[in-house]
Amino acid sequence: MVGGRAPVAPDARGMDEVQLIVTGYALTIARGVLHRAGDIARTVAPAHRYAVIADDTTGGLYGERLAAVLSPTPVIQLRFPPGEASKTRETWSALTDALLDAGCGRDTTIVALGGGVTGDLAGFVAATYLRGVPYLQVPTSLLAMIDSSIGGKTGVDTSHGKNLVGAFHRPAAVIADPELLRTLPAEHVRAGLAEAVKHGVIADASLFDWIASHAAELLAEPDGPLMTECIARAVAIKARVVEADERESGLRKTLNFGHTIGHALERVTSYRLLHGDAVAIGMVVEARAAERVGIAEAGTAVRIAEALRALGLPTTPPEELVPERILAATPSDKKSRAGAVEYALPCRIGEMAGEAQGYGIRLEEEVVSKELGVRS
């Protein structure tokens, strides 16, 4: 549970489509829903022109298909190199300049087609272009479907850390088609499932156990009905948390479990470590630290590590990274307050600690350092 309350999750078993409403917009999860993206877009964000923003890889795979269903409304397609290295103010500037060069006005709707990088970047373009235009999220990665496309956070990275420049800007809709996961590399499927595990840890022990027990099937058929159920159940948790705390003043901080260490790992590896892999390691390290100081029940970290290993995810930092180097990168995280690093920590599987502190808990560096040094 989060804050002692059980989430309301859809029963996605046997369902062809799941719809959820969060802070005023609809999330549609359905196999084949990409073919209906044009109808959805014209209903929730009609436009004189649609601007589809995608990286070169995803745009090449799905850009023309999306443009076809958005027609007869004119469509322009804007591309950028794939990867976290493109989530910068320089890329944001280039994309906004391209929109200006094309004469796009306030009657333009932006469509973010891609994973978390694309969603964050295109969302930030939408939040700032002409002081804000509508946008749609069409996530193509499991990580984006489960987590990053939901909640209205947009932004870019800087040399000081991840997502440090951005804005809250709600999408007009989120359109998640699990069939797009057919082309997703296996390591990215695993990385996306790390966020689903996180949602189970923070709010739903039954989801956590379900993922652990269905790990093989989820990995074997990433576009199958079990994955649709997984996405729907995980999204329902995030939707409920975001509804309760859209601006991250309290409850929404629980979604950051594993991310303080995870973001630090991404930064010190120059983002060569996948986000989901970094968060997987972060969850185990942070849960061990929570046990060490008496916040979490004994055995919590072991259960998390076992579930992650079943999915083929890492649970310890790369050998070449010493704890001091990782810890040095944590103060740059956007969750730091008054120069002190805060963590979102579980007290047990399915429930988070620290409600009285707004779910931000400070830990001594020595405690975290010891857990970063564990390699078993």
Short mmCIF file of all heavy atoms in Angstrom, two decimals, residues 221-292:
data_model
loop_
_atom_site.label_atom_id
_atom_site.label_comp_id
_atom_site.label_asym_id
_atom_site.label_seq_id
_atom_site.Cartn_x
_atom_site.Cartn_y
_atom_site.Cartn_z
N GLU A 221 6.96 -13.18 -24.29
CA GLU A 221 5.92 -12.61 -25.16
C GLU A 221 5.62 -11.17 -24.74
O GLU A 221 4.59 -10.89 -24.12
CB GLU A 221 4.65 -13.46 -25.10
CG GLU A 221 3.67 -13.15 -26.21
CD GLU A 221 2.44 -14.05 -26.18
OE1 GLU A 221 2.30 -14.86 -25.24
OE2 GLU A 221 1.62 -13.95 -27.10
N PRO A 222 6.52 -10.24 -25.08
CA PRO A 222 6.35 -8.87 -24.61
C PRO A 222 5.14 -8.15 -25.17
O PRO A 222 4.74 -7.11 -24.62
CB PRO A 222 7.65 -8.18 -25.05
CG PRO A 222 8.18 -9.03 -26.15
CD PRO A 222 7.77 -10.43 -25.83
N ASP A 223 4.55 -8.67 -26.26
CA ASP A 223 3.35 -8.04 -26.81
C ASP A 223 2.10 -8.86 -26.53
O ASP A 223 1.05 -8.64 -27.14
CB ASP A 223 3.51 -7.82 -28.32
CG ASP A 223 3.66 -9.12 -29.07
OD1 ASP A 223 4.19 -10.10 -28.49
OD2 ASP A 223 3.25 -9.19 -30.25
N GLY A 224 2.18 -9.80 -25.60
CA GLY A 224 1.07 -10.69 -25.32
C GLY A 224 0.10 -10.17 -24.29
O GLY A 224 0.29 -9.09 -23.70
N PRO A 225 -0.96 -10.95 -24.00
CA PRO A 225 -2.00 -10.50 -23.07
C PRO A 225 -1.50 -10.33 -21.64
O PRO A 225 -1.99 -9.46 -20.91
CB PRO A 225 -3.06 -11.60 -23.16
CG PRO A 225 -2.36 -12.78 -23.77
CD PRO A 225 -1.30 -12.23 -24.65
N LEU A 226 -0.51 -11.14 -21.21
CA LEU A 226 0.02 -10.96 -19.86
C LEU A 226 0.71 -9.61 -19.73
O LEU A 226 0.62 -8.95 -18.68
CB LEU A 226 0.98 -12.08 -19.51
CG LEU A 226 0.37 -13.43 -19.10
CD1 LEU A 226 1.47 -14.42 -18.76
CD2 LEU A 226 -0.57 -13.28 -17.92
N MET A 227 1.42 -9.20 -20.78
CA MET A 227 2.08 -7.89 -20.73
C MET A 227 1.05 -6.77 -20.69
O MET A 227 1.24 -5.76 -19.99
CB MET A 227 3.03 -7.71 -21.91
CG MET A 227 3.88 -6.45 -21.80
SD MET A 227 4.99 -6.45 -20.36
CE MET A 227 6.34 -7.46 -21.02
N THR A 228 -0.04 -6.91 -21.44
CA THR A 228 -1.10 -5.90 -21.38
C THR A 228 -1.63 -5.78 -19.96
O THR A 228 -1.85 -4.67 -19.45
CB THR A 228 -2.24 -6.26 -22.34
OG1 THR A 228 -1.75 -6.32 -23.68
CG2 THR A 228 -3.36 -5.23 -22.28
N GLU A 229 -1.81 -6.92 -19.30
CA GLU A 229 -2.27 -6.91 -17.91
C GLU A 229 -1.23 -6.23 -17.00
O GLU A 229 -1.57 -5.42 -16.14
CB GLU A 229 -2.53 -8.32 -17.41
CG GLU A 229 -2.98 -8.38 -15.97
CD GLU A 229 -3.30 -9.79 -15.49
OE1 GLU A 229 -3.31 -10.73 -16.31
OE2 GLU A 229 -3.53 -9.95 -14.27
N CYS A 230 0.04 -6.55 -17.23
CA CYS A 230 1.11 -5.95 -16.42
C CYS A 230 1.12 -4.43 -16.58
O CYS A 230 1.20 -3.70 -15.59
CB CYS A 230 2.45 -6.55 -16.84
SG CYS A 230 3.87 -5.91 -15.91
N ILE A 231 1.06 -3.98 -17.82
CA ILE A 231 1.06 -2.53 -18.08
C ILE A 231 -0.13 -1.87 -17.39
O ILE A 231 0.01 -0.84 -16.71
CB ILE A 231 1.03 -2.26 -19.59
CG1 ILE A 231 2.32 -2.75 -20.25
CG2 ILE A 231 0.84 -0.76 -19.87
CD1 ILE A 231 2.26 -2.78 -21.78
N ALA A 232 -1.32 -2.46 -17.55
CA ALA A 232 -2.53 -1.87 -16.99
C ALA A 232 -2.46 -1.78 -15.47
O ALA A 232 -2.82 -0.75 -14.88
CB ALA A 232 -3.75 -2.67 -17.42
N ARG A 233 -1.97 -2.84 -14.84
CA ARG A 233 -1.92 -2.83 -13.38
C ARG A 233 -0.88 -1.83 -12.86
O ARG A 233 -1.10 -1.13 -11.87
CB ARG A 233 -1.63 -4.23 -12.86
CG ARG A 233 -2.77 -5.21 -13.09
CD ARG A 233 -2.45 -6.59 -12.56
NE ARG A 233 -2.35 -6.60 -11.10
CZ ARG A 233 -2.11 -7.70 -10.37
NH1 ARG A 233 -1.94 -8.87 -11.00
NH2 ARG A 233 -2.04 -7.64 -9.06
N ALA A 234 0.27 -1.77 -13.54
CA ALA A 234 1.31 -0.82 -13.13
C ALA A 234 0.88 0.62 -13.36
O ALA A 234 1.09 1.49 -12.51
CB ALA A 234 2.61 -1.12 -13.87
N VAL A 235 0.26 0.86 -14.51
CA VAL A 235 -0.20 2.21 -14.83
C VAL A 235 -1.27 2.67 -13.85
O VAL A 235 -1.31 3.85 -13.46
CB VAL A 235 -0.73 2.25 -16.28
CG1 VAL A 235 -1.58 3.49 -16.52
CG2 VAL A 235 0.43 2.23 -17.27
N ALA A 236 -2.14 1.76 -13.43
CA ALA A 236 -3.19 2.14 -12.48
C ALA A 236 -2.61 2.68 -11.19
O ALA A 236 -3.14 3.61 -10.58
CB ALA A 236 -4.09 0.94 -12.19
N ILE A 237 -1.49 2.10 -10.76
CA ILE A 237 -0.83 2.57 -9.54
C ILE A 237 -0.29 3.98 -9.75
O ILE A 237 -0.53 4.88 -8.95
CB ILE A 237 0.30 1.61 -9.13
CG1 ILE A 237 -0.30 0.29 -8.65
CG2 ILE A 237 1.17 2.22 -8.04
CD1 ILE A 237 0.70 -0.82 -8.49
N LYS A 238 0.45 4.18 -10.85
CA LYS A 238 1.00 5.52 -11.07
C LYS A 238 -0.12 6.54 -11.26
O LYS A 238 -0.01 7.67 -10.76
CB LYS A 238 1.92 5.53 -12.28
CG LYS A 238 2.52 6.92 -12.51
CD LYS A 238 3.78 6.94 -13.31
CE LYS A 238 4.37 8.35 -13.32
NZ LYS A 238 5.62 8.44 -14.10
N ALA A 239 -1.18 6.17 -11.96
CA ALA A 239 -2.28 7.10 -12.18
C ALA A 239 -2.89 7.54 -10.85
O ALA A 239 -3.18 8.73 -10.64
CB ALA A 239 -3.35 6.46 -13.06
N ARG A 240 -3.05 6.61 -9.92
CA ARG A 240 -3.64 6.95 -8.63
C ARG A 240 -2.72 7.86 -7.84
O ARG A 240 -3.16 8.83 -7.20
CB ARG A 240 -3.96 5.69 -7.82
CG ARG A 240 -4.77 6.00 -6.57
CD ARG A 240 -5.05 4.74 -5.78
NE ARG A 240 -3.84 4.20 -5.19
CZ ARG A 240 -3.25 4.68 -4.10
NH1 ARG A 240 -3.73 5.76 -3.51
NH2 ARG A 240 -2.17 4.11 -3.62
N VAL A 241 -1.43 7.58 -7.88
CA VAL A 241 -0.47 8.41 -7.15
C VAL A 241 -0.43 9.82 -7.74
O VAL A 241 -0.44 10.82 -7.00
CB VAL A 241 0.93 7.76 -7.18
CG1 VAL A 241 1.98 8.71 -6.62
CG2 VAL A 241 0.93 6.45 -6.39
N VAL A 242 -0.40 9.91 -9.06
CA VAL A 242 -0.35 11.22 -9.71
C VAL A 242 -1.63 12.01 -9.45
O VAL A 242 -1.59 13.23 -9.23
CB VAL A 242 -0.10 11.06 -11.22
CG1 VAL A 242 -0.27 12.39 -11.95
CG2 VAL A 242 1.30 10.50 -11.46
N GLU A 243 -2.77 11.33 -9.47
CA GLU A 243 -4.03 12.01 -9.16
C GLU A 243 -3.97 12.64 -7.77
O GLU A 243 -4.47 13.75 -7.55
CB GLU A 243 -5.19 11.01 -9.21
CG GLU A 243 -5.69 10.70 -10.60
CD GLU A 243 -6.65 11.76 -11.13
OE1 GLU A 243 -6.83 12.80 -10.46
OE2 GLU A 243 -7.20 11.54 -12.21
N ALA A 244 -3.35 11.94 -6.83
CA ALA A 244 -3.31 12.43 -5.44
C ALA A 244 -2.28 13.53 -5.25
O ALA A 244 -2.42 14.37 -4.34
CB ALA A 244 -3.01 11.27 -4.50
N ASP A 245 -1.23 13.55 -6.09
CA ASP A 245 -0.13 14.49 -5.86
C ASP A 245 0.57 14.79 -7.18
O ASP A 245 1.67 14.32 -7.43
CB ASP A 245 0.86 13.87 -4.84
CG ASP A 245 2.05 14.78 -4.54
OD1 ASP A 245 1.95 16.00 -4.78
OD2 ASP A 245 3.08 14.25 -4.11
N GLU A 246 -0.07 15.60 -8.02
CA GLU A 246 0.45 15.83 -9.36
C GLU A 246 1.81 16.52 -9.34
O GLU A 246 2.68 16.25 -10.17
CB GLU A 246 -0.54 16.65 -10.18
CG GLU A 246 -0.13 16.82 -11.63
CD GLU A 246 -1.15 17.58 -12.45
OE1 GLU A 246 -2.07 18.18 -11.86
OE2 GLU A 246 -1.02 17.58 -13.68
N ARG A 247 2.04 17.43 -8.39
CA ARG A 247 3.24 18.26 -8.40
C ARG A 247 4.36 17.74 -7.50
O ARG A 247 5.32 18.44 -7.23
CB ARG A 247 2.88 19.69 -7.99
CG ARG A 247 1.94 20.38 -8.96
CD ARG A 247 2.68 20.87 -10.17
NE ARG A 247 1.80 21.41 -11.21
CZ ARG A 247 2.17 22.32 -12.10
NH1 ARG A 247 3.40 22.80 -12.07
NH2 ARG A 247 1.34 22.73 -13.01
N GLU A 248 4.22 16.51 -7.03
CA GLU A 248 5.27 15.84 -6.25
C GLU A 248 5.62 16.59 -4.98
O GLU A 248 6.79 16.85 -4.67
CB GLU A 248 6.53 15.63 -7.11
CG GLU A 248 7.45 14.54 -6.55
CD GLU A 248 8.62 14.24 -7.46
OE1 GLU A 248 8.42 13.61 -8.52
OE2 GLU A 248 9.74 14.61 -7.11
N SER A 249 4.60 16.91 -4.20
CA SER A 249 4.84 17.55 -2.91
C SER A 249 4.85 16.53 -1.77
O SER A 249 5.23 16.87 -0.65
CB SER A 249 3.77 18.61 -2.63
OG SER A 249 2.47 18.02 -2.63
N GLY A 250 4.44 15.30 -2.06
CA GLY A 250 4.40 14.28 -1.02
C GLY A 250 4.34 12.88 -1.60
O GLY A 250 5.36 12.28 -1.92
N LEU A 251 3.12 12.36 -1.74
CA LEU A 251 2.93 10.96 -2.13
C LEU A 251 3.65 10.59 -3.42
O LEU A 251 4.18 9.48 -3.56
CB LEU A 251 1.43 10.68 -2.28
CG LEU A 251 1.04 9.24 -2.62
CD1 LEU A 251 1.45 8.28 -1.52
CD2 LEU A 251 -0.46 9.15 -2.90
N ARG A 252 3.70 11.50 -4.39
CA ARG A 252 4.33 11.16 -5.67
C ARG A 252 5.82 10.85 -5.51
O ARG A 252 6.41 10.19 -6.36
CB ARG A 252 4.12 12.29 -6.68
CG ARG A 252 4.57 11.92 -8.09
CD ARG A 252 4.09 12.89 -9.14
NE ARG A 252 4.58 12.52 -10.46
CZ ARG A 252 4.18 13.07 -11.60
NH1 ARG A 252 3.26 14.03 -11.59
NH2 ARG A 252 4.68 12.68 -12.76
N LYS A 253 6.43 11.32 -4.44
CA LYS A 253 7.84 11.00 -4.21
C LYS A 253 8.07 9.49 -4.08
O LYS A 253 9.18 9.01 -4.29
CB LYS A 253 8.35 11.70 -2.95
CG LYS A 253 8.43 13.21 -3.06
CD LYS A 253 8.94 13.80 -1.75
CE LYS A 253 8.93 15.32 -1.77
NZ LYS A 253 9.37 15.89 -0.47
N THR A 254 7.03 8.74 -3.70
CA THR A 254 7.22 7.29 -3.58
C THR A 254 7.61 6.66 -4.90
O THR A 254 8.26 5.61 -4.93
CB THR A 254 5.94 6.61 -3.05
OG1 THR A 254 4.85 6.83 -3.98
CG2 THR A 254 5.55 7.16 -1.68
N LEU A 255 7.23 7.28 -6.01
CA LEU A 255 7.60 6.76 -7.32
C LEU A 255 9.10 6.85 -7.58
O LEU A 255 9.60 6.28 -8.54
CB LEU A 255 6.84 7.53 -8.42
CG LEU A 255 5.32 7.34 -8.44
CD1 LEU A 255 4.67 8.39 -9.34
CD2 LEU A 255 4.94 5.95 -8.90
N ASN A 256 9.80 7.59 -6.71
CA ASN A 256 11.24 7.75 -6.87
C ASN A 256 12.04 6.63 -6.21
O ASN A 256 13.27 6.67 -6.19
CB ASN A 256 11.69 9.09 -6.30
CG ASN A 256 11.15 10.27 -7.09
OD1 ASN A 256 11.05 10.20 -8.31
ND2 ASN A 256 10.78 11.34 -6.40
N PHE A 257 11.37 5.63 -5.66
CA PHE A 257 12.10 4.52 -5.06
C PHE A 257 13.08 3.93 -6.07
O PHE A 257 12.72 3.63 -7.21
CB PHE A 257 11.13 3.43 -4.58
CG PHE A 257 11.81 2.17 -4.12
CD1 PHE A 257 12.81 2.22 -3.16
CD2 PHE A 257 11.44 0.94 -4.64
CE1 PHE A 257 13.45 1.06 -2.73
CE2 PHE A 257 12.06 -0.23 -4.22
CZ PHE A 257 13.07 -0.17 -3.27
N GLY A 258 14.33 3.80 -5.67
CA GLY A 258 15.38 3.28 -6.54
C GLY A 258 16.01 4.31 -7.44
O GLY A 258 17.04 4.03 -8.07
N HIS A 259 15.43 5.49 -7.51
CA HIS A 259 15.89 6.48 -8.49
C HIS A 259 17.00 7.39 -7.99
O HIS A 259 17.74 7.95 -8.80
CB HIS A 259 14.70 7.33 -8.96
CG HIS A 259 13.82 6.61 -9.93
ND1 HIS A 259 13.15 5.46 -9.60
CD2 HIS A 259 13.52 6.88 -11.23
CE1 HIS A 259 12.45 5.06 -10.66
NE2 HIS A 259 12.67 5.89 -11.65
N THR A 260 17.13 7.57 -6.68
CA THR A 260 18.24 8.42 -6.20
C THR A 260 19.57 7.77 -6.56
O THR A 260 20.44 8.40 -7.18
CB THR A 260 18.13 8.65 -4.68
OG1 THR A 260 16.87 9.27 -4.40
CG2 THR A 260 19.26 9.54 -4.19
N ILE A 261 19.72 6.50 -6.23
CA ILE A 261 20.91 5.77 -6.63
C ILE A 261 20.89 5.50 -8.13
O ILE A 261 21.92 5.60 -8.82
CB ILE A 261 21.04 4.45 -5.85
CG1 ILE A 261 21.29 4.73 -4.37
CG2 ILE A 261 22.16 3.57 -6.43
CD1 ILE A 261 22.56 5.51 -4.08
N GLY A 262 19.72 5.20 -8.68
CA GLY A 262 19.62 4.91 -10.11
C GLY A 262 20.08 6.06 -10.98
O GLY A 262 20.86 5.87 -11.93
N HIS A 263 19.64 7.26 -10.69
CA HIS A 263 20.07 8.42 -11.48
C HIS A 263 21.56 8.67 -11.33
O HIS A 263 22.24 9.07 -12.28
CB HIS A 263 19.29 9.66 -11.06
CG HIS A 263 17.90 9.71 -11.61
ND1 HIS A 263 16.97 10.65 -11.22
CD2 HIS A 263 17.27 8.94 -12.54
CE1 HIS A 263 15.84 10.46 -11.87
NE2 HIS A 263 16.00 9.42 -12.68
N ALA A 264 22.09 8.44 -10.12
CA ALA A 264 23.52 8.61 -9.92
C ALA A 264 24.31 7.61 -10.77
O ALA A 264 25.33 7.95 -11.37
CB ALA A 264 23.88 8.44 -8.43
N LEU A 265 23.83 6.37 -10.82
CA LEU A 265 24.49 5.35 -11.65
C LEU A 265 24.44 5.72 -13.12
O LEU A 265 25.42 5.55 -13.85
CB LEU A 265 23.82 3.99 -11.43
CG LEU A 265 24.13 3.30 -10.10
CD1 LEU A 265 23.16 2.16 -9.86
CD2 LEU A 265 25.57 2.80 -10.09
N GLU A 266 23.31 6.23 -13.57
CA GLU A 266 23.22 6.66 -14.97
C GLU A 266 24.25 7.76 -15.26
O GLU A 266 24.92 7.74 -16.29
CB GLU A 266 21.81 7.18 -15.28
CG GLU A 266 20.75 6.10 -15.37
CD GLU A 266 19.40 6.69 -15.71
OE1 GLU A 266 18.74 7.22 -14.79
OE2 GLU A 266 19.02 6.63 -16.88
N ARG A 267 24.34 8.70 -14.33
CA ARG A 267 25.23 9.82 -14.58
C ARG A 267 26.69 9.39 -14.62
O ARG A 267 27.44 9.78 -15.52
CB ARG A 267 25.03 10.89 -13.50
CG ARG A 267 25.80 12.17 -13.79
CD ARG A 267 25.59 13.20 -12.71
NE ARG A 267 26.38 14.39 -13.00
CZ ARG A 267 26.76 15.28 -12.10
NH1 ARG A 267 26.43 15.10 -10.83
NH2 ARG A 267 27.47 16.33 -12.44
N VAL A 268 27.12 8.57 -13.66
CA VAL A 268 28.54 8.20 -13.61
C VAL A 268 28.92 7.22 -14.72
O VAL A 268 30.10 7.07 -15.03
CB VAL A 268 28.94 7.63 -12.24
CG1 VAL A 268 28.71 8.66 -11.14
CG2 VAL A 268 28.21 6.34 -11.93
N THR A 269 27.94 6.57 -15.33
CA THR A 269 28.23 5.71 -16.49
C THR A 269 27.96 6.43 -17.81
O THR A 269 27.94 5.79 -18.86
CB THR A 269 27.39 4.42 -16.43
OG1 THR A 269 25.99 4.74 -16.45
CG2 THR A 269 27.71 3.60 -15.19
N SER A 270 27.74 7.74 -17.72
CA SER A 270 27.43 8.54 -18.93
C SER A 270 26.25 7.95 -19.69
O SER A 270 26.22 7.95 -20.92
CB SER A 270 28.67 8.63 -19.83
OG SER A 270 29.74 9.26 -19.16
N TYR A 271 25.28 7.44 -18.92
CA TYR A 271 24.02 6.92 -19.45
C TYR A 271 24.19 5.68 -20.32
O TYR A 271 23.30 5.32 -21.09
CB TYR A 271 23.24 8.01 -20.19
CG TYR A 271 22.91 9.18 -19.29
CD1 TYR A 271 23.69 10.33 -19.31
CD2 TYR A 271 21.88 9.10 -18.38
CE1 TYR A 271 23.42 11.39 -18.45
CE2 TYR A 271 21.60 10.15 -17.51
CZ TYR A 271 22.38 11.29 -17.56
OH TYR A 271 22.12 12.32 -16.70
N ARG A 272 25.33 5.01 -20.18
CA ARG A 272 25.48 3.72 -20.87
C ARG A 272 24.64 2.64 -20.18
O ARG A 272 24.24 1.66 -20.82
CB ARG A 272 26.95 3.30 -20.90
CG ARG A 272 27.82 4.16 -21.81
CD ARG A 272 29.22 3.59 -21.94
NE ARG A 272 29.90 3.54 -20.66
CZ ARG A 272 30.61 4.55 -20.16
NH1 ARG A 272 30.71 5.70 -20.83
NH2 ARG A 272 31.22 4.44 -18.99
N LEU A 273 24.38 2.82 -18.91
CA LEU A 273 23.53 1.90 -18.16
C LEU A 273 22.08 2.27 -18.42
O LEU A 273 21.68 3.42 -18.26
CB LEU A 273 23.85 2.00 -16.67
CG LEU A 273 23.32 0.91 -15.73
CD1 LEU A 273 23.94 -0.43 -16.08
CD2 LEU A 273 23.63 1.29 -14.28
N LEU A 274 21.28 1.30 -18.86
CA LEU A 274 19.86 1.57 -19.13
C LEU A 274 19.17 2.06 -17.85
O LEU A 274 19.50 1.62 -16.74
CB LEU A 274 19.16 0.31 -19.64
CG LEU A 274 19.55 -0.18 -21.03
CD1 LEU A 274 18.81 -1.48 -21.35
CD2 LEU A 274 19.25 0.87 -22.09
N HIS A 275 18.19 2.91 -18.03
CA HIS A 275 17.48 3.48 -16.88
C HIS A 275 16.89 2.38 -15.99
O HIS A 275 17.06 2.41 -14.77
CB HIS A 275 16.36 4.41 -17.36
CG HIS A 275 15.53 4.97 -16.24
ND1 HIS A 275 15.98 5.95 -15.39
CD2 HIS A 275 14.27 4.66 -15.84
CE1 HIS A 275 15.04 6.24 -14.50
NE2 HIS A 275 14.00 5.46 -14.75
N GLY A 276 16.22 1.41 -16.59
CA GLY A 276 15.63 0.34 -15.80
C GLY A 276 16.66 -0.48 -15.06
O GLY A 276 16.44 -0.90 -13.91
N ASP A 277 17.81 -0.73 -15.68
CA ASP A 277 18.88 -1.46 -15.01
C ASP A 277 19.39 -0.66 -13.81
O ASP A 277 19.65 -1.21 -12.73
CB ASP A 277 20.03 -1.73 -15.98
CG ASP A 277 19.69 -2.76 -17.04
OD1 ASP A 277 18.50 -3.10 -17.18
OD2 ASP A 277 20.61 -3.23 -17.74
N ALA A 278 19.57 0.65 -14.01
CA ALA A 278 20.05 1.51 -12.93
C ALA A 278 19.04 1.54 -11.78
O ALA A 278 19.42 1.51 -10.60
CB ALA A 278 20.31 2.91 -13.46
N VAL A 279 17.76 1.62 -12.10
CA VAL A 279 16.73 1.64 -11.06
C VAL A 279 16.67 0.30 -10.33
O VAL A 279 16.45 0.25 -9.11
CB VAL A 279 15.36 2.01 -11.67
CG1 VAL A 279 14.23 1.77 -10.68
CG2 VAL A 279 15.36 3.47 -12.12
N ALA A 280 16.85 -0.80 -11.06
CA ALA A 280 16.86 -2.12 -10.42
C ALA A 280 17.95 -2.18 -9.35
O ALA A 280 17.71 -2.60 -8.21
CB ALA A 280 17.08 -3.21 -11.47
N ILE A 281 19.15 -1.75 -9.71
CA ILE A 281 20.25 -1.72 -8.75
C ILE A 281 19.90 -0.77 -7.60
O ILE A 281 20.11 -1.09 -6.42
CB ILE A 281 21.55 -1.28 -9.43
CG1 ILE A 281 21.96 -2.29 -10.50
CG2 ILE A 281 22.67 -1.10 -8.40
CD1 ILE A 281 23.04 -1.79 -11.44
N GLY A 282 19.36 0.39 -7.95
CA GLY A 282 19.01 1.38 -6.93
C GLY A 282 17.99 0.86 -5.94
O GLY A 282 18.09 1.13 -4.73
N MET A 283 17.01 0.10 -6.40
CA MET A 283 15.99 -0.43 -5.49
C MET A 283 16.61 -1.37 -4.47
O MET A 283 16.28 -1.33 -3.27
CB MET A 283 14.90 -1.16 -6.29
CG MET A 283 13.93 -0.24 -7.00
SD MET A 283 12.46 -1.11 -7.63
CE MET A 283 13.15 -1.96 -9.06
N VAL A 284 17.51 -2.24 -4.92
CA VAL A 284 18.13 -3.19 -3.99
C VAL A 284 19.01 -2.46 -2.99
O VAL A 284 18.95 -2.72 -1.78
CB VAL A 284 18.93 -4.25 -4.77
CG1 VAL A 284 19.67 -5.18 -3.80
CG2 VAL A 284 18.01 -5.07 -5.67
N VAL A 285 19.83 -1.54 -3.47
CA VAL A 285 20.71 -0.78 -2.58
C VAL A 285 19.89 0.02 -1.56
O VAL A 285 20.18 0.00 -0.35
CB VAL A 285 21.63 0.15 -3.39
CG1 VAL A 285 22.37 1.12 -2.48
CG2 VAL A 285 22.61 -0.66 -4.23
N GLU A 286 18.88 0.70 -2.02
CA GLU A 286 18.09 1.54 -1.14
C GLU A 286 17.28 0.70 -0.15
O GLU A 286 17.10 1.09 1.01
CB GLU A 286 17.19 2.47 -1.96
CG GLU A 286 18.00 3.52 -2.73
CD GLU A 286 17.16 4.40 -3.65
OE1 GLU A 286 15.93 4.44 -3.45
OE2 GLU A 286 17.73 5.02 -4.56
N ALA A 287 16.77 -0.46 -0.60
CA ALA A 287 16.03 -1.34 0.32
C ALA A 287 16.96 -1.92 1.38
O ALA A 287 16.58 -2.04 2.56
CB ALA A 287 15.36 -2.46 -0.46
N ARG A 288 18.19 -2.27 0.99
CA ARG A 288 19.15 -2.76 1.98
C ARG A 288 19.47 -1.67 3.01
O ARG A 288 19.57 -1.95 4.22
CB ARG A 288 20.44 -3.20 1.28
CG ARG A 288 20.35 -4.56 0.60
CD ARG A 288 21.64 -4.86 -0.14
NE ARG A 288 21.65 -6.22 -0.66
CZ ARG A 288 22.39 -6.64 -1.68
NH1 ARG A 288 23.17 -5.78 -2.31
NH2 ARG A 288 22.35 -7.90 -2.07
N ALA A 289 19.63 -0.45 2.52
CA ALA A 289 19.90 0.66 3.44
C ALA A 289 18.71 0.87 4.38
O ALA A 289 18.90 1.14 5.58
CB ALA A 289 20.19 1.94 2.65
N ALA A 290 17.50 0.74 3.84
CA ALA A 290 16.30 0.89 4.68
C ALA A 290 16.24 -0.19 5.76
O ALA A 290 15.84 0.07 6.90
CB ALA A 290 15.05 0.85 3.81
N GLU A 291 16.64 -1.40 5.42
CA GLU A 291 16.71 -2.46 6.43
C GLU A 291 17.78 -2.16 7.47
O GLU A 291 17.57 -2.36 8.67
CB GLU A 291 17.00 -3.80 5.76
CG GLU A 291 15.82 -4.38 4.98
CD GLU A 291 16.10 -5.78 4.47
OE1 GLU A 291 16.62 -6.61 5.26
OE2 GLU A 291 15.83 -6.06 3.28
N ARG A 292 18.91 -1.68 7.02
CA ARG A 292 20.04 -1.42 7.93
C ARG A 292 19.66 -0.42 9.02
O ARG A 292 20.09 -0.54 10.18
CB ARG A 292 21.25 -0.92 7.15
CG ARG A 292 22.48 -0.64 8.01
CD ARG A 292 23.65 -0.21 7.17
NE ARG A 292 24.22 -1.31 6.43
CZ ARG A 292 25.15 -2.15 6.90
NH1 ARG A 292 25.60 -2.00 8.14
NH2 ARG A 292 25.62 -3.12 6.16
#
